[in-house]
Amino acid sequence: MKMNRRQAFGFGAAAAAFAVTGFRVAPAVASTEDTDKAIMEFTGGKAPAAGKITLTAPEIAENGNTVPVSVSVESAMTGDEMVDSVIIYADGNPSPGVATFHFTEMSGAASATTRIRLSKTQNVVAVAKMKDGSFFMDKKQVKVTIGGCGG
Amino acid sequence: MKKTIMTTSVAAIALTILGASVLQADPINETLEIDGKEMITRAKAPDGHPFDEVLSGWLFREPTTRALEVDPFENPGMLAVEEGATIWNTVEGTAGKSCASCHGDAAESMKAAAAKFPKWDAASKRPVNIEMQINSCREKNMGAAPYEFDKGGQVPLTTYIRHQAIGTPMSVDLSQGEMQKWFDMGKEVYYTRTGQLNLSCANCHEALMGKMIRADHLSQGQINGFPTYRLKSGLTSLHNRFRGCISDTRGTPPKAFSDELMALEVYVTWRGTGLSIETPSVRQ
Amino acid sequence: MAESKPRVKVPKTAKAGEVITIKSLISHEMESGQRKDKDGKPIPRQIINKFTCEFNGKPVFSCDLDPAVSANPYIEFSAKVTEAGKFKFTWVDDNGSVYESENEITVN
């Protein structure tokens, strides 16, 4: 790679500048403990099981302002085989809550998609509450990238 | 001696950073179809172009960002198109006219218009873009106040008008008036380093095109999708982006629609010759 | 900010018992309450906090939104169509405004 002194300095300074501006001071960032606490409130203290629910989120988000996430729960959506609701948390945001989807038999399927804000690389967690009182959880880490030029 | 050491260490740091973070990532090889209409995202470059092929910025984005542009319903930029349609039909000014009073159905009258901008304006002896054409119409024909930069209905109306030409390949007619002179001036702006970071457009979008600076996959910096919906900042006009890029070099950007930036628009439009208008595109 | 305008995409027809996909989008800043203005004062939160979908007066789906939902909130979900009728969509703003949209569907 051919580079003269001016160019080298330019990039060095650029990198240093990015390192400084890349950090944003986020007030009261939710910790994973806050998220765990919120989950326990949602489940009434029950530990959610794995399975049944699938959370789809990109491995890498080009910008944390608009990150598409989808949830889908295996269910016949009638009688006892019903999904009541799905709650989504983000464990690195200023507060963990993101959205809660409420389903009915007329939903036909327990699936939903939305776009969310993630302040940094973190876990997105989805917990499904079934009509029979059981809970299921899925978790995905989303790497939130900071662009080359000021994010 | 001291100076030499400092220079070396700065260069060493810079090289370390570059070595770690400037990686090559190829633009994807996929077809962009919007509403069943295929967009030209790769075109043979015009003579004298530094690249063999011009590439739409869509090819450089992550799958989730690309997907947002494919479905017009999911594209948040389409909200601006709807807003622009309302403005198009709204009477403003002392002449009691709307855009539609003279131009009728934009789907017909503006179908190819956007692909011909910027164009030479004999009256003002300058190239004009759609924003300036709108302002000229507002003042001369509608008796309405011109929009201030990025204010009022300027961005949604421009988005609406350019969207009518979606799919049409961009071209700029350099034979009109003094367009060639403005083209040359724009080329100079493109290659001039600005700001404390001392970067020109060409440093990133030509020399490092296709590489990663940190997590950013550098594109050719094409303007065929403007105004664009940026995940970072929402609907963003071209001159806002030009100014943003120059500010990012820690320079003081020229004013929107100034001679420098109009010349740059003429030149960069030529650099994207043949690419479909994608307005409103979706970018990071 | 311009008046919030809802957009909904619902198929015009469905087979009886079919599960259809509904897409919704509304123009809204979704001001999170985390940002500050030029003078350093916090900008108060103002978001769409609830979205509901009813079919012929019966609840189909609803969503509670927190400030972590992106600007111009997009919500996609499913609905089982058993008869012809009317979908009604409602968005509730923090400031008390309610935005509505309706779509008819036929069953073949």
Side-chain angles (χ1 to χ4, degrees):
Chain A
M1 167 127 205
K2 216 179 112 191
M3 207 164 44
N4 65 30
R5 193 191 76 85
R6 263 178 102 78
Q7 283 168 330
F9 185 76
F11 280 110
F18 296 151
V20 173
T21 54
F23 281 100
R24 292 207 176 96
V25 182
V29 168
S31 60
T32 38
E33 292 90 73
D34 281 351
T35 305
D36 289 344
K37 224 173 99 186
I39 293 170
M40 285 303 147
E41 271 171 39
F42 181 67
T43 64
K46 252 188 194 174
K52 286 212 179 193
I53 182 166
T54 307
L55 168 71
T56 309
E59 205 177 310
I60 297 168
E62 275 189 293
N63 191 289
N65 261 337
T66 314
V67 184
V69 293
S70 298
V71 290
S72 170
V73 189
E74 289 168 36
S75 162
M77 292 305 276
T78 56
D80 290 341
E81 264 273 333
M82 265 297 295
V83 182
D84 175 82
S85 53
V86 170
I87 192 160
I88 298 178
Y89 299 107
D91 74 2
N93 272 356
S95 65
V98 175
T100 313
F101 303 117
H102 304 275
F103 301 98
T104 70
E105 284 197 16
M106 287 176 69
S107 303
S111 61
T113 298
T114 189
R115 298 171 188 159
I116 70 172
R117 292 167 169 154
L118 298 174
S119 62
K120 58 175 187 177
T121 294
Q122 58 187 285
N123 292 312
V124 179
V125 185
V127 184
K129 180 185 187 182
M130 314 299 278
K131 269 266 152 54
D132 65 7
S134 59
F135 293 88
F136 296 90
M137 183 174 99
D138 194 14
K139 189 196 275 194
K140 291 274 152 65
Q141 193 196 48
V142 179
K143 290 189 177 73
V144 176
T145 64
I146 298 161
C149 285
Chain B
M1 183 62 202
K2 200 179 167 193
K3 196 179 170 191
T4 320
I5 292 165
M6 261 185 70
T7 308
T8 317
S9 66
V10 167
I13 292 165
L15 281 170
T16 312
I17 290 161
L18 285 170
S21 64
V22 178
L23 301 167
Q24 184 71 42
D26 289 329
I28 52 121
N29 208 348
E30 269 181 36
T31 309
L32 169 60
E33 239 182 57
I34 301 174
D35 241 355
K37 197 171 181 181
E38 192 176 327
M39 299 292 129
I40 305 161
T41 55
R42 288 171 183 267
K44 192 182 170 293
D47 286 346
H49 199 291
F51 297 126
D52 294 332
E53 194 178 30
V54 292
L55 305 170
S56 163
W58 184 81
L59 302 169
F60 294 79
R61 303 279 54 90
E62 289 288 320
T64 49
T65 311
R66 291 203 304 272
L68 284 180
E69 193 179 323
V70 172
D71 181 350
F73 185 87
E74 293 185 31
N75 180 349
M78 290 302 288
L79 290 165
V81 172
E82 285 184 7
E83 198 185 334
T86 309
I87 299 167
W88 180 266
N89 291 301
T90 304
V91 171
E92 270 187 83
T94 52
K97 285 182 185 171
S98 69
C99 304
S101 309
C102 295
H103 299 289
D105 182 3
E108 282 303 316
S109 62
M110 296 293 132
K111 207 170 176 178
K116 297 199 168 72
F117 281 87
K119 65 176 188 187
W120 184 249
D121 178 55
S124 63
K125 293 197 172 136
R126 292 182 86 221
V128 290
N129 59 12
I130 292 174
E131 288 91 332
M132 292 163 77
Q133 184 66 52
I134 291 169
N135 272 352
S136 159
C137 261
R138 286 176 66 84
E139 282 191 283
K140 287 185 194 140
N141 304 326
M142 293 168 70
Y147 290 129
E148 283 177 49
F149 172 56
D150 271 1
K151 300 266 173 68
Q154 185 173 72
V155 190
L157 186 55
T158 303
T159 308
Y160 174 68
I161 291 170
R162 269 184 72 91
H163 179 69
Q164 305 309 314
I166 193 163
T168 313
M170 291 209 301
S171 65
V172 56
D173 184 355
L174 298 174
S175 68
Q176 303 170 322
E178 295 169 25
M179 287 294 271
Q180 186 61 47
K181 195 184 100 187
W182 284 76
F183 172 93
D184 295 340
M185 195 159 91
K187 186 174 179 181
E188 201 180 315
V189 173
Y190 195 89
Y191 287 97
T192 301
R193 290 168 178 270
T194 61
Q196 281 179 315
L197 302 190
N198 201 32
L199 294 168
S200 72
C201 306
N203 285 134
C204 288
H205 296 293
E206 187 174 304
L208 292 176
M209 188 277 293
K211 301 209 161 52
M212 306 291 290
I213 42 168
R214 301 225 296 184
D216 221 337
H217 191 192
L218 283 168
S219 71
Q220 291 182 350
Q222 297 292 357
I223 62 173
N224 55 311
F226 278 88
T228 181
Y229 190 90
R230 294 190 72 202
L231 301 181
K232 180 189 175 189
S233 51
L235 194 70
T236 306
S237 68
L238 176 62
H239 285 241
N240 183 312
R241 191 73 192 99
F242 279 161
R243 285 169 53 81
C245 254
I246 295 167
S247 296
D248 285 342
T249 70
R250 310 210 148 182
T252 307
K255 285 206 163 95
F257 316 133
S258 60
D259 288 356
E260 290 97 322
L261 295 189
M262 276 314 299
L264 189 60
E265 182 172 345
V266 170
Y267 178 67
V268 180
T269 303
W270 173 82
R271 281 182 79 105
T273 302
L275 292 178
S276 285
I277 287 184
E278 286 175 33
T279 308
S281 64
V282 181
R283 301 289 185 259
Q284 80 284 28
Chain C
M1 193 182 76
E3 167 95 346
S4 287
K5 240 175 109 178
R7 301 171 84 208
V8 185
K9 192 175 179 182
V10 181
K12 287 194 173 65
T13 60
K15 291 190 186 75
E18 191 183 340
V19 177
I20 59 164
T21 299
I22 296 177
K23 297 176 176 184
S24 76
L25 185 70
I26 186 166
S27 56
H28 199 284
E29 287 287 337
M30 292 294 280
E31 191 59 63
S32 66
Q34 299 284 340
R35 298 201 306 167
K36 286 176 179 167
D37 65 14
K38 280 177 193 154
D39 305 323
K41 289 192 198 113
I43 303 170
R45 169 187 140 149
Q46 195 200 328
I47 67 165
I48 296 285
N49 59 55
K50 193 160 185 69
F51 167 77
T52 56
C53 167
E54 286 177 3
F55 184 68
N56 291 342
K58 286 173 278 186
V60 174
F61 171 86
S62 69
C63 176
D64 302 314
L65 293 81
D66 288 306
V69 173
S70 305
N72 305 320
Y74 174 83
I75 302 167
E76 183 183 315
F77 57 96
S78 305
K80 191 173 182 176
V81 183
T82 50
E83 55 178 344
K86 197 187 274 176
F87 281 104
K88 186 180 169 189
F89 307 94
T90 313
W91 292 257
V92 182
D93 193 307
D94 273 350
N95 72 2
S97 303
V98 175
Y99 309 102
E100 287 178 347
S101 172
E102 287 183 346
N103 283 66
E104 305 230 4
I105 190 166
T106 56
V107 167
N108 55 24

